Amino acid sequence: MSSLRPTIDFLLHDWLHAESLTRRPRFADHSRETFGAVLDTCERIAREKYAPFNRLVDTEEPRFDGEKVILPRATHEAHEAYVASGMLSAAQDYEEGGMQLPYTIEAAAGTFFATASVSIGGGLLTKGNANLLMVHGTELQKEVFARNEFGGRFSGTMALSEPQAGSSLSDIATRATPDGADFESDPLGPRYRIKGNKMWISAGEHELSENIVHLVLAKIPGPDGKLIPGTRGISLFIVPKNLVGTDGQLTGERNDVALAGLNHKLGWRGTTNTLLNFGEGKYPVRGGAGAIGYLVGRPHEGLRCMFHMMNEARIGIGLAATALGLAGYYASLEYAKNRPQGRPVGPAGKDPSQPQIRIIEHADIKRMLLAQKSYCEGALALLLQCARLVDEQHTGTPEAAEEARLLLEVLTPVAKSWPSEFCLEANSLAIQVHGGYGYTRDFPVEQYWRDNRLSMIHEGTHGIQAADLLGRKVVMEGGKGLQLLAARINATIEQAIQRPELAEHANALGQALQKVGAATKSAWATGNPSDALANAVPYMQAFGHLVVAWTWLDVLLVLPAGSASPADEGRVRAARYFFHYELPRIPAWLRVVEMRDPTCATMPEDAF
Amino acid sequence: MSSLRPTIDFLLHDWLHAESLTRRPRFADHSRETFGAVLDTCERIAREKYAPFNRLVDTEEPRFDGEKVILPRATHEAHEAYVASGMLSAAQDYEEGGMQLPYTIEAAAGTFFATASVSIGGGLLTKGNANLLMVHGTELQKEVFARNEFGGRFSGTMALSEPQAGSSLSDIATRATPDGADFESDPLGPRYRIKGNKMWISAGEHELSENIVHLVLAKIPGPDGKLIPGTRGISLFIVPKNLVGTDGQLTGERNDVALAGLNHKLGWRGTTNTLLNFGEGKYPVRGGAGAIGYLVGRPHEGLRCMFHMMNEARIGIGLAATALGLAGYYASLEYAKNRPQGRPVGPAGKDPSQPQIRIIEHADIKRMLLAQKSYCEGALALLLQCARLVDEQHTGTPEAAEEARLLLEVLTPVAKSWPSEFCLEANSLAIQVHGGYGYTRDFPVEQYWRDNRLSMIHEGTHGIQAADLLGRKVVMEGGKGLQLLAARINATIEQAIQRPELAEHANALGQALQKVGAATKSAWATGNPSDALANAVPYMQAFGHLVVAWTWLDVLLVLPAGSASPADEGRVRAARYFFHYELPRIPAWLRVVEMRDPTCATMPEDAF
C-alpha cells in the first residue's frame, strides 16, 4: 500500500482543495493537519488490525454454533480498534460526541480499511443506520439507538430484501401489526409486531456489539387485513435484537429475531450475511406473537426514508470496489518488480546466457499495471469528488448545494457501478500479472477478485443502476442534472484545450460528451421506456467511461506545468492510457443505444 | 445441459459435415450413428459420474497424508468410468486398441465432461502425453508407456515449468546426466539421472492409476558440466513415478520423484496441481543420485517434441473454457426461467397487485443471457472447426492438409485465448443473472467462474498467445497463414452478401477484416518487434472478435432459408448480438495497434 496515501493526499488537497472546507463554520476547527491526523490513524489501524487478517477472515468463515455466530478473534479486535478510533461518529456534531469531520475525509479514510480487508468492514452499515435515525427518528430513538451506534455499543443493519423480493422491494411481505391498544404510546415510537423473513442481511447476527439495531422494511396491513401492494405500502421499523429501555440499557429480553441461516459466499467472508426470521416464535417476547418493532417516521413512507441513505451507501460500495482494485494493483506491482522472467523482445533478448529481466520490464505487464492504475486511481478520484459533493450539498451555499444535489443524482449510479465493473477487471489483471501464482491462495489477488465480485450485485445491481441512470437520472427535472454535468465537463474541456499537451484529450472528451448526449436523446426518441431502457447497461458503461475520462482530464489540470515528478508522470500516463485505450470503446456501447437495438429485448424465450 | 447435445449435433453435422469424414479410409467404419453412440456414452458418463460431484471436488480439495494424495472417491469412480468408456484411446489405430475416431468427435465428446466437471478431468494430459510418445518415442517406449496410458493403467503429466521458469522455458535448470557408462544401452531408451524441481504439474501425484508417466524437460550438461543456455539445450525424458520393466509391469522400485507441495488454487480443485522434486533423494533408487529418466527423441530437441502437442493442448484449453461458459449459460438460463422478480418496464409494470414476472422477461436479463449464448456457442463453433482442421491435417489431401496446418497455426492462439477471456466474462454474467444467489456457493455459477479464471493462465498466458499470434503466426512464411484465413473469411462474405438477411453482417465482417489486415501492417511498419508487440493483446482481442464473427456468419449460412425453428432463431439472434454489440469493439482495440501506441511500453517504472 505504498502509494495509497500520497495518492489520497494529492487528490484531496491538490485537486479537490479539501482544506477550503475549513473556511466553513461547520469545519472551522479543522485544518490540513487534523485531516492528516485522521488519515494517519486510519492508515495505522488498517495496517495493524486489518491487513494481517484479511486471509484469515476468508478461511475462517463465520459459523453458527446454534446460539451464537462465531467470528475470528481478529475481527473482534479490528472492530474494537475501529470503534476506539472514533470514526463511527467522526462526521457527527460536536455535541453528539462527533468531530464534525467532512464526509470527504471520512470517505478517504475508509479507503484504508477497505484496501486492507474489505470484509472486516468499517462500520458503513452502522453509520448509515444511525445517520438515517438522526434524520428520521424521534429524539428518543436518536438517543437510545443512533447514539449507541455511533458510540459502538450497538451495531446496525439494513433489512430490506426478502427471499422473494430482492431488486423488487415493492413485493416485500413482512407484516407489521399494531402491538396492543396502547401501541402508539410507547416512548420508543409506535410499537408494532413484525413477522417475516429478511434475506441478504449483512452483519445480521454476531457478537461484535452489545446489540444489533435492525432497520426493517415492512408493510402495515390495511383495514381489510391485506397488505397494500407496491412500494407505497412500505413502512420502516427499528427492530432491536435485544430489547432496550428508554435509558438505552438492555432490558434483558431477547426480541424475536432469529438467525435462519448464514449465506456461504464466494468472498466477503469476514462479514456475516444472513437470512433472518422476524417473529417466527423462536424467542417469544412479552407474551405476544411477532418481533417488537418501533415505527420510524410516518407509516407508508419507509422507502423514502431509506432512499435518504442510498447516495452515501452507493458511494461506499464504489469506494470498496475501488479499494479492492487498488489493493490488487499494489500487490501485482510489487510482484512485477520482483519476479524475474523472460528477456526483452527483439535482438537484446536473444542471448539466453544473460539473466532474466523482471517482468515489470515487459510491455504487456506494464499494460496490465497501467490499466489497473488508470481504472482504480480514476475511480478513486471520481468517488472522492462525489464525497466532496456530499459535503457541498450539506454545507455549501444554497445554490452550490442544489448543484451538488443534482450532480450527485446523476453521478451516483456511475460512482457505484463503474468501479464495480472496472476495478473487478483490474483485480483480474492483477491475477494475470502473477501468472500461475496469482491463481493460488498463497497470494492475495485471487481473494480481492472474489471479494470484488459482490460489488456489481449489492446496493442495487448493475441493471438497477443502469435503469436508474437512463430511466430517471438523466431525464429527471427536465434533464437538469445531465445539463449541469455537461456544463462541468465543458468547463474542464475549455481549460484543457488551452494547454497544448492536453488539447488532444480535451477534443476527445468533447466528442465523447457529444456522443453520450446524442445517444441519450436517441434512446428516448420514441418516448417509450421499453425502447429506451433495452440497452441501459451499455449506456451506463459509456456514460461511466465519459465521466472517468473527464475526471482524469480534470486531475491533469492541476499538475504543475512541466512537472518531472514520477508521481505526476504516472498520472499523465494513466490518463493517457484511459484516453487512448478506454475512451475509444464508447462508440461500440452507444451504437445499440442510439439504434434502440431490440436484439435482446425481443429475443423469444424458446430461442435461448 | 438441456441444449448442449443439439447444439453439438447441429455444429458437427449441419455445419461441419462431420459425416463426410467417413468417406476417408481411416474413418471408413464410422457413420453418423457411431459418432452419435460415442456422444451418447460420454454424455451419460458426464451426467452420472461427473456433474453430481462437481461441488464435492471443489470442497474436498486434494490433500497429502505424507505418503499419498487423497482425492474424493467420486473422482476415482469418474476416472474409472472414463477409462472404461475407451475414450483415452478412441483416436488411436484399431491395431493399438483404438477406434480410429476423428478428433472432431473426440473433442465434441470432451465438452460433456468439461461442462459437467472440468476439474475431474477427461484424460487430456494422459492422452497428450501418450500421443507425444506415439510420435517421438521408440517402439518399446510406445509399448511400455504410451499403450498403458491409452489403456488407463498409467496416467501422464507434462513437467515443463519450474519455480523460476514459467513462461520462460529457456531458463529451466533441471539437469539430466548420463546414468553410468552403459546409459545408452537401456532398452527403454538412453538412461539419465534427473535432478530438479518442477512447478505447476497438474495430476503430478495421485492414486488414480498404477503409475504416473512424467514427461520432463531437462538439460544435459555440456562437456564443461554447464547447462546450455536457451531452449536449444532442452531435452525430453520419460520419468515414471514407479520404475517399469520392459514388460510394462512395475518393478516394485519407486523412482525418486517426490511431492514437494500441493498448490492451493482458486478453482480447478478436482485436479491436483503440484510442485515435484526430481532426484532430491527422498526415494533413492538403484544406488545412484537422481531420478531415473529415459531420453525421448534426440538430445536437445525436447522442446520441438513438446511443441508437437501444443496445438491440441491449446484447443483443449479453449474447449474447457467454452464448456465452463456453457455450463454457466445453462444454469443462469434455468434460473432466469424460474425466478419471479419485478414487473415489466412502462405502464404494464405499474400495477404492483399484478404478480411478478420471471426475470427472463426483463430486457437486461435477456441481454446477459444472449451475450453468454453468443460468446459460448460462437467459441464452441470455432473450436470444433479447429478440431475439424486437425482431422484435415491428418487425413486430408496433401494440399488440404497443408492449408489446415497453416490455418491452425493462425487460429490456435485465438482458439485458446478468446474463450479463456470471453467465456470467463460469460461466467460473470451468469453470476449477475442470479443476483445475490449467484454470489453464494448454493448455486454452481461462482465455481464455474473460479474454475475458468485458470484458462487465461495455463498452456501459455494471454500475453504469450498474443506474442505468438502477432509476433509469429500472422507473419510466418510470408504471411501465408493470414492470407489463407482472409481468403476463407472472404469466401464466407461472398456467400453471405448474396443473402439479403445476411448482407449487413457480411459488410461489417468485410470492414473488420480490412481493419485487422491494415493494423497488422501498421504494427509491423517499423519492422521492430518492440513496436509491433507493445499492444499484442489488444490486437489478439480484435483478431479474436473478427474470427468469432466470421464463425457466426459461416454458421448462419447453413440455416435453411426462412427457418422458423426456435433453435435457428436463437442462432440468428446470437449472431446478431455478436455483430451489433461485439464486433463494433474492434476499432478501439486496433487504434493503439495501428498507432504503435507506446504509452504502456515506455512507462517509467517509478511512475507506477
Side-chain angles (χ1 to χ4, degrees):
Chain A
M1 266 181 290
S2 55
S3 41
L4 178 55
R5 181 61 187 275
T7 300
I8 282 180
D9 283 342
F10 164 80
L11 290 172
L12 286 181
H13 297 297
D14 297 280
W15 184 50
L16 293 174
H17 310 293
E19 211 177 349
S20 68
L21 287 168
T22 63
R23 291 199 292 270
R24 298 183 180 177
R26 181 171 179 82
F27 307 127
D29 291 346
H30 279 288
S31 63
R32 179 159 179 165
E33 285 64 40
T34 64
F35 293 166
V38 168
L39 296 176
D40 288 346
T41 302
C42 292
E43 191 177 5
R44 180 180 52 73
I45 297 173
R47 187 176 60 240
E48 293 174 359
K49 301 287 184 182
Y50 282 65
F53 308 106
N54 191 45
R55 178 61 74 176
L56 177 79
V57 300
D58 186 62
T59 52
E60 286 192 21
E61 207 172 4
R63 61 192 171 77
F64 185 51
D65 70 1
E67 196 183 335
K68 291 178 177 177
V69 167
I70 318 290
L71 292 170
R73 170 183 292 272
T75 303
H76 286 264
E77 290 175 357
H79 180 76
E80 284 157 23
Y82 186 83
V83 168
S85 76
M87 285 306 291
L88 277 169
S89 60
Q92 300 302 307
D93 295 352
Y94 291 128
E95 53 264 42
E96 300 286 345
M99 50 175 120
Q100 298 192 179
L101 192 70
Y103 179 62
T104 309
I105 307 300
E106 188 187 2
T111 321
F112 293 109
F113 300 107
T115 308
S117 182
V118 74
S119 73
I120 289 180
L124 195 70
L125 278 166
T126 297
K127 279 189 272 189
N129 179 307
N131 275 328
L132 185 151
L133 291 177
M134 293 303 284
V135 176
H136 298 285
T138 64
E139 279 311 311
L140 196 60
Q141 287 175 340
K142 291 186 209 177
E143 184 65 33
V144 168
F145 298 106
R147 282 173 198 145
N148 279 315
E149 292 187 75
F150 287 130
R153 274 185 65 213
F154 297 175
S155 57
T157 77
M158 303 283 190
L160 287 69
S161 298
E162 300 179 5
Q164 82 294 347
S167 295
S168 180
L169 284 176
S170 64
D171 291 284
I172 64 166
T174 298
R175 299 171 75 94
T177 48
D179 185 29
D182 66 340
F183 79 101
E184 283 189 301
S185 61
D186 195 304
L188 291 174
R191 198 179 59 239
Y192 286 75
R193 291 286 183 158
I194 313 289
K195 279 191 183 181
N197 312 305
K198 290 289 177 181
M199 185 61 164
W200 309 122
I201 312 309
S202 282
E205 182 58 79
H206 55 73
E207 304 292 319
L208 293 171
S209 55
E210 210 175 300
N211 203 0
I212 301 175
V213 180
H214 302 289
L215 281 178
V216 177
L217 292 182
K219 291 187 174 182
I220 303 170
D224 58 354
K226 288 188 183 161
L227 299 183
I228 304 170
T231 55
R232 282 175 225 277
I234 297 176
S235 305
L236 179 66
F237 300 87
I238 296 169
V239 186
K241 170 182 167 183
N242 299 301
L243 294 187
V244 184
T246 54
D247 56 356
Q249 298 305 309
L250 304 193
T251 64
E253 297 160 292
R254 171 83 193 229
N255 201 359
D256 194 8
V257 183
L259 181 70
L262 290 172
N263 289 311
H264 296 101
K265 293 172 290 178
L266 169 58
W268 260 85
R269 295 188 188 150
T271 302
T272 53
N273 187 274
T274 60
L275 173 60
L276 297 178
N277 288 346
F278 289 85
E280 299 226 325
K282 177 152 183 194
Y283 304 103
V285 58
R286 294 188 187 168
I292 288 175
Y294 307 100
L295 182 70
V296 179
R298 293 195 301 191
H300 312 312
E301 297 195 354
L303 213 54
R304 199 179 56 80
C305 298
M306 275 289 179
F307 270 118
H308 180 264
M309 294 316 308
M310 246 169 224
N311 277 356
E312 284 175 48
R314 288 177 175 177
I315 292 172
I317 301 302
L319 267 172
T322 303
L324 283 165
L326 287 164
Y329 170 55
Y330 298 136
S332 59
L333 177 58
E334 188 65 20
Y335 183 82
K337 284 180 175 174
N338 290 293
R339 167 76 175 168
Q341 195 71 192
R343 290 180 181 73
V345 163
K350 296 289 186 214
D351 181 358
S353 67
Q354 291 299 308
Q356 299 195 61
I357 59 174
R358 294 163 311 128
I359 62 172
I360 199 172
E361 299 176 63
H362 295 303
D364 192 53
I365 299 288
K366 290 189 191 194
R367 180 187 63 82
M368 294 191 280
L369 292 170
L370 194 52
Q372 291 178 66
K373 182 180 173 75
S374 178
Y375 291 153
C376 302
E377 293 185 3
L380 182 63
L382 169 62
L383 285 154
L384 291 180
Q385 182 175 41
C386 288
R388 181 70 184 73
L389 288 169
V390 170
D391 282 321
E392 201 60 32
Q393 191 181 356
H394 293 157
T395 65
T397 62
E399 189 185 303
E402 170 61 8
E403 290 199 356
R405 179 191 69 81
L406 271 171
L407 285 169
L408 278 174
E409 293 280 16
V410 178
L411 288 176
T412 302
V414 174
K416 193 272 177 182
S417 66
W418 197 89
S420 298
E421 180 171 357
F422 291 95
C423 297
L424 176 68
E425 178 59 27
N427 287 148
S428 185
L429 291 170
I431 292 176
Q432 194 68 21
V433 167
H434 283 74
Y437 293 96
Y439 198 68
T440 70
R441 308 200 298 276
D442 299 326
F443 286 80
V445 285
E446 62 86 23
Q447 187 185 344
Y448 299 141
W449 188 64
R450 282 187 290 112
D451 285 349
N452 218 353
R453 186 62 189 78
L454 180 60
S455 306
M456 280 199 287
I457 298 170
H458 66 168
E459 273 300 326
T461 63
H462 232 44
I464 296 287
Q465 301 299 328
D468 181 44
L469 178 66
L470 180 53
R472 219 167 66 84
K473 298 305 183 60
V474 299
V475 289
M476 67 189 282
E477 303 174 41
K480 264 168 76 177
L482 184 57
Q483 287 155 26
L484 184 60
L485 177 65
R488 294 287 173 102
I489 294 175
N490 274 321
T492 300
I493 291 172
E494 276 164 34
Q495 278 188 272
I497 209 140
Q498 293 164 29
R499 293 171 52 167
E501 77 279 15
L502 301 183
E504 180 202 318
H505 293 347
N507 283 321
L509 185 62
Q511 285 170 26
L513 175 61
Q514 189 276 328
K515 266 184 203 297
V516 168
T520 311
K521 282 203 186 71
S522 304
W524 281 105
T526 65
N528 182 342
S530 308
D531 293 346
L533 300 182
N535 296 294
V537 167
Y539 176 82
M540 180 171 72
Q541 290 168 315
F543 198 99
H545 262 49
L546 167 71
V547 166
V548 175
W550 163 54
T551 302
W552 267 119
L553 187 58
D554 205 66
V555 164
L556 294 192
L557 285 177
V558 302
L559 300 188
S563 165
S565 89
D568 286 343
E569 173 70 12
R571 288 169 192 129
V572 167
R573 292 277 182 155
R576 191 181 300 155
Y577 178 90
F578 204 85
F579 275 87
H580 288 191
Y581 289 73
E582 295 292 330
L583 196 62
R585 297 173 68 175
I586 285 185
W589 282 314
L590 291 182
R591 186 178 177 282
V592 293
V593 178
E594 285 160 2
M595 305 179 81
R596 299 181 296 283
D597 193 309
T599 305
C600 303
T602 61
M603 173 81 176
E605 184 173 330
D606 62 0
F608 278 113
Chain B
M1 262 182 295
S2 57
S3 43
L4 178 56
R5 180 61 187 278
T7 299
I8 283 181
D9 282 343
F10 164 79
L11 291 173
L12 286 181
H13 297 298
D14 297 278
W15 184 50
L16 293 174
H17 310 293
E19 210 177 350
S20 68
L21 287 167
T22 64
R23 291 199 292 270
R24 297 182 181 178
R26 180 172 180 81
F27 307 126
D29 290 347
H30 279 287
S31 63
R32 180 159 177 165
E33 286 65 39
T34 64
F35 293 165
V38 168
L39 296 177
D40 289 345
T41 302
C42 292
E43 191 178 5
R44 181 180 51 74
I45 297 173
R47 186 177 60 242
E48 294 174 358
K49 302 288 185 181
Y50 281 65
F53 309 105
N54 191 44
R55 179 61 74 176
L56 177 79
V57 300
D58 187 61
T59 52
E60 286 191 21
E61 207 172 7
R63 61 192 169 79
F64 186 52
D65 70 0
E67 196 184 333
K68 291 179 176 175
V69 167
I70 317 291
L71 291 170
R73 170 182 293 271
T75 304
H76 287 264
E77 290 174 357
H79 181 74
E80 283 158 23
Y82 186 83
V83 168
S85 75
M87 285 306 290
L88 276 169
S89 61
Q92 300 302 308
D93 297 351
Y94 290 128
E95 53 264 40
E96 300 287 344
M99 51 175 119
Q100 297 193 180
L101 191 70
Y103 179 61
T104 309
I105 307 300
E106 189 187 2
T111 321
F112 293 109
F113 300 106
T115 307
S117 183
V118 74
S119 73
I120 288 179
L124 194 72
L125 278 167
T126 297
K127 279 189 271 189
N129 178 307
N131 275 329
L132 185 151
L133 291 177
M134 293 304 284
V135 176
H136 298 287
T138 63
E139 280 310 311
L140 195 61
Q141 287 175 339
K142 293 186 210 178
E143 184 64 35
V144 169
F145 298 107
R147 283 175 196 143
N148 280 314
E149 292 186 76
F150 286 128
R153 275 184 65 213
F154 297 175
S155 57
T157 77
M158 304 282 188
L160 287 69
S161 297
E162 300 179 4
Q164 82 294 347
S167 294
S168 180
L169 284 177
S170 65
D171 291 282
I172 64 166
T174 297
R175 300 170 75 94
T177 48
D179 185 30
D182 66 340
F183 78 101
E184 283 188 299
S185 61
D186 196 303
L188 290 174
R191 197 179 60 242
Y192 286 74
R193 291 287 183 158
I194 313 290
K195 279 192 183 182
N197 311 304
K198 290 290 177 181
M199 185 61 165
W200 310 123
I201 311 311
S202 283
E205 181 61 78
H206 56 74
E207 305 292 318
L208 293 171
S209 54
E210 209 175 303
N211 203 1
I212 301 175
V213 180
H214 301 289
L215 281 177
V216 177
L217 293 181
K219 290 186 173 182
I220 302 169
D224 60 355
K226 289 188 183 161
L227 298 183
I228 304 169
T231 55
R232 282 175 224 277
I234 297 176
S235 304
L236 179 65
F237 301 87
I238 295 168
V239 186
K241 171 182 167 183
N242 299 301
L243 294 187
V244 184
T246 53
D247 57 357
Q249 298 306 309
L250 305 193
T251 64
E253 298 159 291
R254 171 83 193 232
N255 200 0
D256 194 7
V257 183
L259 181 69
L262 291 172
N263 289 312
H264 295 101
K265 292 171 291 178
L266 170 58
W268 261 84
R269 294 188 188 151
T271 302
T272 54
N273 186 274
T274 60
L275 173 60
L276 296 178
N277 288 346
F278 289 84
E280 299 225 327
K282 177 152 183 197
Y283 303 104
V285 56
R286 293 187 188 169
I292 288 174
Y294 307 100
L295 183 70
V296 177
R298 292 196 300 191
H300 312 312
E301 297 194 355
L303 213 53
R304 197 176 60 77
C305 297
M306 275 288 180
F307 270 118
H308 180 266
M309 294 315 309
M310 246 167 226
N311 278 356
E312 285 176 50
R314 289 178 173 175
I315 292 172
I317 301 302
L319 267 172
T322 302
L324 283 166
L326 287 164
Y329 169 55
Y330 299 135
S332 59
L333 177 59
E334 188 65 20
Y335 183 83
K337 284 180 175 174
N338 291 294
R339 167 76 175 168
Q341 195 71 192
R343 290 181 180 70
V345 164
K350 296 288 185 215
D351 180 357
S353 68
Q354 291 299 307
Q356 300 196 60
I357 59 175
R358 295 163 310 128
I359 62 172
I360 198 169
E361 299 176 64
H362 294 303
D364 193 53
I365 299 288
K366 290 189 190 193
R367 181 188 62 83
M368 293 191 280
L369 292 170
L370 194 51
Q372 291 178 66
K373 183 178 172 76
S374 177
Y375 291 154
C376 301
E377 293 186 3
L380 183 63
L382 169 63
L383 285 155
L384 292 179
Q385 182 176 42
C386 287
R388 181 69 184 73
L389 288 169
V390 170
D391 282 322
E392 201 60 33
Q393 191 182 358
H394 293 156
T395 65
T397 62
E399 190 184 302
E402 169 61 8
E403 288 198 358
R405 178 191 70 79
L406 271 171
L407 284 169
L408 279 173
E409 293 279 16
V410 177
L411 288 176
T412 302
V414 174
K416 193 272 175 183
S417 66
W418 197 89
S420 299
E421 181 171 356
F422 291 95
C423 297
L424 176 68
E425 179 58 27
N427 287 147
S428 185
L429 291 170
I431 293 175
Q432 194 69 21
V433 168
H434 282 73
Y437 294 95
Y439 199 68
T440 69
R441 307 201 297 276
D442 300 325
F443 287 80
V445 285
E446 62 86 26
Q447 186 185 344
Y448 299 142
W449 188 64
R450 284 188 287 113
D451 285 349
N452 219 353
R453 186 61 189 80
L454 180 60
S455 305
M456 279 200 288
I457 297 171
H458 67 167
E459 273 300 327
T461 63
H462 232 44
I464 295 287
Q465 302 299 329
D468 182 43
L469 178 66
L470 180 54
R472 217 166 68 83
K473 297 303 182 59
V474 299
V475 289
M476 69 189 283
E477 303 176 38
K480 264 168 77 177
L482 183 57
Q483 287 155 27
L484 184 59
L485 177 65
R488 294 286 173 101
I489 294 175
N490 275 321
T492 300
I493 291 171
E494 276 164 36
Q495 277 187 274
I497 209 139
Q498 293 165 28
R499 292 171 54 167
E501 77 280 14
L502 301 182
E504 181 202 317
H505 294 347
N507 283 322
L509 184 63
Q511 284 170 27
L513 176 61
Q514 189 275 329
K515 266 186 203 296
V516 168
T520 313
K521 282 202 185 71
S522 304
W524 282 104
T526 64
N528 182 342
S530 308
D531 293 346
L533 300 182
N535 295 295
V537 166
Y539 176 82
M540 180 171 72
Q541 290 167 316
F543 199 98
H545 262 49
L546 168 71
V547 165
V548 174
W550 164 54
T551 302
W552 267 120
L553 188 58
D554 205 66
V555 164
L556 293 192
L557 284 178
V558 303
L559 299 188
S563 164
S565 88
D568 286 342
E569 174 69 12
R571 288 168 192 129
V572 167
R573 293 277 182 155
R576 192 181 301 155
Y577 178 90
F578 204 85
F579 276 88
H580 288 191
Y581 289 72
E582 294 292 329
L583 196 62
R585 298 173 67 174
I586 286 186
W589 282 315
L590 291 182
R591 186 178 177 279
V592 293
V593 178
E594 285 160 1
M595 305 179 82
R596 298 181 298 282
D597 193 307
T599 303
C600 304
T602 61
M603 173 80 176
E605 185 173 329
D606 61 1
F608 277 113

